[in-house]
């Protein structure tokens, strides 16, 4: 895999210019990594959209059961794929269908075939990287 899905320019641009992140797998459980990552980005001015089947609000934001249920007039800049690798491809396909600008797969979430589909569809892809660590490197 190498650095193909960790382009420093893409990472910097996504962290600096994105406004809305949909976090797939975000539930109201502060013990989970996804909750911490969403909270950190929210504190840095990003709008977060929780995507989880239970649809309970998280961090003061309305949740949706899937990316497809987020209103079409909401632009999704980045989809955070906080699902295990075997489920990441389906989320990436949903992000492509939804017209997201990018997908970000955190540490140890890897699906190169799905990442290639996203790139072919014109999405930016970051894989096997932590948003908080990448933010700290740039600030």
């Amino acid at each position: 895999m190498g650095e193909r899905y960790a382009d420093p320019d893409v990472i910097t641009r996504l962290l600096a210019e994105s406004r809305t992140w949909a976090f797939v797998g975000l539930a109201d459980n502060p013990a989970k990594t996804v909750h911490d990552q969403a909270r950190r980005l929210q504190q840095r001015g990003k709008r977060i959209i929780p995507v989880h089947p239970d649809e309970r609000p998280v961090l003061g934001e309305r949740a949706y059961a899937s990316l497809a249920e987020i209103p079409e007039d909401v632009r999704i800049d980045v989809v955070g794929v906080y699902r295990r690798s075997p489920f990441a491809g389906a989320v990436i396909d949903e992000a492509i269908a939804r017209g997201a600008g990018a997908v970000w797969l955190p540490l140890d979430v890897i699906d190169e075939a799905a990442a290639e589909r996203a790139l072919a569809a014109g999405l930016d892809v970051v894989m096997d990287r932590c948003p908080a660590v990448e933010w700290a490197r740039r600030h």
Side-chain angles (χ1 to χ4, degrees):
M1 184 177 81
E3 298 298 307
R4 177 160 169 72
Y5 307 109
D7 182 316
D9 294 333
V10 170
I11 292 170
T12 298
R13 182 170 36 77
L14 292 179
L15 292 174
E17 297 175 11
S18 65
R19 300 202 188 295
T20 303
W21 286 57
F23 280 89
V24 177
L26 176 57
D28 195 19
N29 182 347
K32 297 284 188 176
T33 300
V34 62
H35 193 280
D36 181 56
Q37 297 302 312
R39 181 184 52 79
R40 287 173 186 257
L41 287 175
Q42 186 181 53
Q43 290 172 339
R44 292 174 173 109
K46 309 296 182 190
R47 176 182 180 196
I48 61 132
I49 300 173
V51 179
H52 194 278
D54 70 15
E55 296 185 70
R56 285 188 232 159
V58 181
L59 298 167
E61 297 290 340
R62 178 180 174 195
Y64 297 87
S66 69
L67 291 172
E69 293 183 20
I70 298 170
E72 288 185 27
D73 64 333
V74 175
R75 176 186 160 97
I76 300 171
D77 297 314
V78 182
V79 173
V81 184
Y82 283 80
R83 298 287 320 271
R84 289 176 295 163
S85 295
F87 305 104
V91 174
I92 290 171
D93 291 339
E94 193 175 356
I96 293 167
R98 179 56 176 73
V103 291
W104 188 303
L105 289 74
L107 295 173
D108 299 324
V109 178
I110 298 168
D111 186 331
E112 290 188 54
E116 287 300 319
R117 292 193 302 273
L119 288 172
L123 280 71
D124 287 319
V125 177
V126 176
M127 186 162 53
D128 198 27
R129 293 292 183 268
C130 173
V133 169
E134 298 302 330
W135 185 282
R137 286 183 178 157
R138 287 155 177 80
H139 294 88

